Amino acid sequence: MTTKLNFMKILYIIEEGVIHDTHLTPFESICEHIHVTTFQDAWQHYLEMKPHIVMIYLDANHHFCEEIINKIKRVDLNCMFLILAEENLRASMNKLAHLQNVKTLFGPVTREAIDLALEDLMNSTNKIYLTDDKILYEPHNSSLIYNNQRIKLTVKENKLLAYLFKNNNRIVSYDEIENYVWGDTQMNRNTLTSIVSNIRKKVNNTSLIKNYSNQGYKIINK
C-alpha cells in the first residue's frame, strides 16, 4: 500500500557502535531512500541527501541532538525530526519540547510507537507529498517546495492542484474543475491548459499532471 512514507527520504543518525537494525529494518522496505550515518558524518550526509525526515537515536550524546537540529533548521524549516532516546535522557531533552516538527520517543521504543509518531509529524505539518519525492505541496500556504525553494501558486493553481490531489485515484473531469476552481464563472479551456502548464514549469515536471483528451486531468502517482 502506498503511503506518504513511500516518498520520504530518511536520514538515520546513530552513535558509533550502536546496533540500529531493530528500529531501522521496518522502514527499509517501505521508504525509497533511507541512509544511516554517524554523528561525525551527519551534516555532510544531510547536505548530500536533503532528507524529509531525520531520525536520531540517542544513547548518551544529547548535546549533539540540539546542535544538529538547529543547524538543519537554519537551512530547511520543513525538515521533520524523530528522536529515539533512552529513558535516562528524558530530563535533559526538555529544550527540544518546544521545537516545531520535532517528536521524541523514550525507550523502550516499539515499531507501533514509531509509526504513530511519524504519522503525527506528517499530519501536524499539514503538508502533502506529491508523486516526485523532490516536490512538497503546502495547500494552506499556496506553495510548492522544490529543490528546497518555496514556489508560490496563484489562487487558481492552488485550488486546481488541491482538488486533483484530493481525487488522485481518478480522472477529474473538466466540468468538475470548472465547478470547483471557477465556481459561478465560466471556465476557459485555454486558461485551464495554461494553469496546468504553469504548475508543471514551476517544478520542472511535465508528467506531474496528465491530460486525458476530452475527459480531464489526473495527478500521476509513480
Side-chain angles (χ1 to χ4, degrees), residues 8 16 45 47 60 70 75 78 96 99 101 113 169 172 180 182 184 191 197 214 220-221:
M8 295 290 186
E16 291 283 356
H45 285 147
L47 293 175
N70 288 330
V75 297
N78 300 292
L96 301 177
L99 295 178
N101 296 346
N169 60 332
V172 178
Y180 184 81
W182 272 262
D184 295 332
T191 301
S197 177
N214 297 319
I220 300 302
N221 284 314

Side-chain angles (χ1 to χ4, degrees), residues 108-138:
V109 179
T110 65
R111 164 67 191 275
E112 291 73 18
I114 294 177
D115 286 344
L116 289 173
L118 288 173
E119 184 177 350
D120 286 346
L121 272 174
M122 289 185 286
N123 289 337
S124 66
T125 57
N126 197 20
K127 297 164 186 169
I128 300 174
Y129 288 82
L130 296 185
T131 54
D132 188 322
D133 63 352
K134 295 180 180 177
I135 303 172
L136 178 66
Y137 174 40
E138 294 184 330

Side-chain angles (χ1 to χ4, degrees), residues 11 14 48 63 69 83 91 109 126 130 148 155 163 178 185:
L11 180 65
I14 60 176
E48 294 171 357
H63 297 294
I69 288 176
I83 304 164
V109 179
N126 197 20
L130 296 185
N148 214 28
V155 173
Y163 194 68
E178 181 173 14
T185 59

Side-chain angles (χ1 to χ4, degrees), residues 78 127 138-144 150-153 158:
N78 300 292
K127 297 164 186 169
E138 294 184 330
H140 59 296
N141 285 331
S142 298
S143 62
L144 295 163
R150 185 175 297 277
I151 304 165
K152 294 301 292 182
L153 298 167
N158 190 46

Side-chain angles (χ1 to χ4, degrees), residues 9-24:
K9 290 185 286 187
I10 297 180
L11 180 65
Y12 188 26
I13 305 172
I14 60 176
E15 297 179 74
E16 291 283 356
V18 170
I19 299 175
H20 62 274
D21 290 352
T22 303
H23 295 143
L24 184 65

Side-chain angles (χ1 to χ4, degrees), residues 188-207:
N188 182 292
R189 189 70 66 85
N190 290 333
T191 301
L192 173 60
T193 301
S194 179
I195 289 173
V196 171
S197 177
N198 287 339
I199 294 173
R200 290 168 174 164
K201 288 178 182 177
K202 286 181 176 182
V203 293
N204 192 30
N205 189 326
T206 57
S207 62

Side-chain angles (χ1 to χ4, degrees), residues 85-116:
E86 293 301 315
E87 180 62 36
N88 64 302
L89 294 176
R90 185 181 291 270
S92 61
M93 302 285 286
N94 289 336
K95 288 184 178 180
L96 301 177
H98 69 284
L99 295 178
Q100 186 178 12
N101 296 346
V102 177
K103 197 169 185 66
T104 304
L105 297 177
F106 294 96
V109 179
T110 65
R111 164 67 191 275
E112 291 73 18
I114 294 177
D115 286 344
L116 289 173

